Amino acid sequence: MAKIQQNYDIVISVDAGYNGSKVTVNGVCFEIPSDIVEITGKSNFGDIRKDGFICMKYLEGQSHLVGEQARTLLTEKEYKSSQAAKQQMLESYDKFTMKESEIHLMTCVGMALIKWSEYCEENGITPKFDISKPVTEDSLFNIYIILGFPHDVYKKAYQAVKPTVVGQHNFRIETEENDYDLNFVIKSQNIMTFSQALAAFMGLVTDDNGKIDYDSEYFKHLPTLVIDGGQKTVGIYVITATLQIELAESNTIFAMNNVYEKVVQTIKDDCGRNDIEIYNIAEILKNNDGEIVSYNKDTDQTEVIDIKPIVNQFTDETCEQLIEYIKEKYNNLLDIKQIVVAGGTGAAYYEGISKYIKGHRSNLADHVILAQYKFMGKMISPVQAISVGLYKVLKNQIEVQKKEANREEK
């Protein structure tokens, strides 16, 4: 990573997604899956710390496994029923009012501080931030946070979660390597929100510090249709020439969750696996390379099969349906001058969308953009694009505020 120009600001962005949150802290990017399992009283978990182990002791007297290891745990029968019940509640705005969402958000903030402390130590960054020391109201270090939510609920969601973020925090995070007792303050004036919709575009047209490049080619092709594909929702919206959001929606029909639902049904019908649920598919694809053991009850035979072709089939079908949908909603794309595709699900649809546009909309053939670009000297993925866009927005806002404060002092 390129050397970071640093001061006493710790700038954190959280792109709050259904499947996980993408976080950027002073240019360092990471992701934490949204899976959470309460493990209070189960002391054996502390003895088996694998990569991605995060134990959050945020609520008094309670311990929660968060992220990768929680996702792995959800493949075990003991924890499936509780997760299945929660799955029905995780709908758009409702998700952000749940206690699990608060735990996950504060885990993201806590891990951001830990990662920045480690980065300072490993790279000789000065002034050095030390996670073992409290960040108080009068500390030299200032923690700034920007929270990104789906466009149609971002103001409402922000009002719901802001009171849980602002103020004094004392909690413990245990990772695969160390235990951390965190003590820090988030000032009310140091937190803001922003639409995930606009953040995807802002990331493309700004420098690393959030300064807008009005000569950017992307500004020359407005209105722009943005497709931000996630696990539970697909954000679809138009950015106008005046950077307004129009015709915005958080669509659930074309989300990866629906693809996985069809995959699960096929596995149940063809492979005799009634025990595999939607929330298990990502774990199977990542850790098992897509392989499961199928069972034929009639012959009492098993067979190892690869579910990736099944996932690809339904992904392609859903992408085709999405294309038909946006054609109908956006006047056959006749007024659209650019399409930006972001998010993990968006990346999965990008090839299909690009292929269709090149074959049927020659005026847009060179203007289907996958949201990936260089940031702090390295290429970021479409999955990180919104978090980085949010980070840039906050960086710019901080600089604007500092310049205004300096003018007032003079």
Side-chain angles (χ1 to χ4, degrees), residues 30-59:
F30 64 98
E31 179 179 1
I32 300 179
S34 59
D35 304 87
I36 297 176
V37 176
E38 184 176 355
I39 57 171
T40 306
K42 300 178 187 248
S43 58
N44 59 307
F45 283 102
D47 300 327
I48 309 173
R49 300 194 184 190
K50 301 178 181 178
D51 287 345
F53 177 90
I54 301 174
C55 180
M56 179 65 156
K57 296 187 176 181
Y58 175 71
L59 301 179

Side-chain angles (χ1 to χ4, degrees), residues 153-165:
V153 299
Y154 83 96
K155 293 181 180 179
K156 186 178 179 182
Y158 177 64
Q159 292 305 316
V161 305
K162 182 180 178 181
T164 68
V165 180

Side-chain angles (χ1 to χ4, degrees), residues 138-312:
D138 55 357
S139 291
L140 289 174
F141 288 97
N142 269 306
I143 300 171
Y144 295 88
I145 297 177
I146 184 169
L147 305 174
F149 301 103
H151 181 78
D152 54 343
V153 299
Y154 83 96
K155 293 181 180 179
K156 186 178 179 182
Y158 177 64
Q159 292 305 316
V161 305
K162 182 180 178 181
T164 68
V165 180
V166 170
Q168 180 73 42
H169 295 280
N170 294 278
F171 55 84
R172 184 179 181 86
I173 291 181
E174 299 172 358
T175 69
E176 67 268 23
E177 295 180 348
N178 294 298
D179 299 342
Y180 302 91
D181 291 306
L182 285 77
N183 186 334
F184 61 93
V185 170
I186 304 295
K187 300 174 185 177
S188 181
Q189 66 269 28
N190 287 3
I191 182 172
M192 65 176 288
T193 188
F194 201 73
S195 163
Q196 291 173 340
L198 199 50
F201 184 74
M202 294 303 291
L204 290 168
V205 298
T206 51
D207 66 14
D208 288 350
N209 292 312
K211 184 178 179 181
I212 297 175
D213 176 11
Y214 289 102
D215 294 324
S216 168
E217 282 294 314
Y218 300 115
F219 275 123
K220 299 176 183 178
H221 302 287
L222 297 173
T224 290
L225 176 66
V226 179
I227 302 171
D228 172 26
Q231 185 70 21
K232 186 67 176 181
T233 62
V234 174
I236 310 173
Y237 34 83
V238 171
I239 300 177
T240 69
T242 56
L243 296 184
Q244 300 300 305
I245 303 293
E246 291 186 349
L247 299 172
E249 66 171 295
S250 291
N251 186 294
T252 59
I253 297 173
F254 307 111
M256 189 55 68
N257 224 46
N258 281 4
V259 173
Y260 286 176
E261 185 176 12
K262 295 172 184 176
V263 172
V264 166
Q265 190 57 55
T266 300
I267 290 172
K268 289 180 178 180
D269 293 342
D270 298 346
C271 305
R273 292 298 300 268
N274 294 323
D275 58 317
I276 294 177
E277 302 293 346
I278 293 172
Y279 50 85
N280 300 134
I281 298 299
E283 175 72 13
I284 292 168
L285 291 171
K286 180 177 180 180
N287 290 345
N288 291 2
D289 196 29
E291 292 186 345
I292 65 169
V293 177
S294 68
Y295 174 65
N296 188 317
K297 186 176 180 181
D298 295 332
T299 62
D300 194 29
Q301 296 291 318
T302 60
E303 180 184 1
V304 175
I305 68 162
D306 184 357
I307 69 168
K308 290 197 292 293
I310 303 173
V311 174
N312 292 339

Side-chain angles (χ1 to χ4, degrees), residues 17-28:
Y18 171 79
N19 197 44
S21 291
K22 279 66 70 179
V23 185
T24 303
V25 52
N26 287 357
V28 179

Side-chain angles (χ1 to χ4, degrees), residues 1-6 24-29 116 119 207-209 373-380 388 391-392 395:
M1 176 179 285
K3 188 173 181 180
I4 297 174
Q5 295 296 320
Q6 181 55 22
T24 303
V25 52
N26 287 357
V28 179
C29 302
W116 182 242
Y119 188 89
D207 66 14
D208 288 350
N209 292 312
Y373 48 86
K374 277 196 172 182
F375 171 66
M376 306 299 273
K378 64 184 295 186
M379 187 66 70
I380 66 158
V388 171
Y391 173 83
K392 291 180 173 187
K395 281 282 289 183

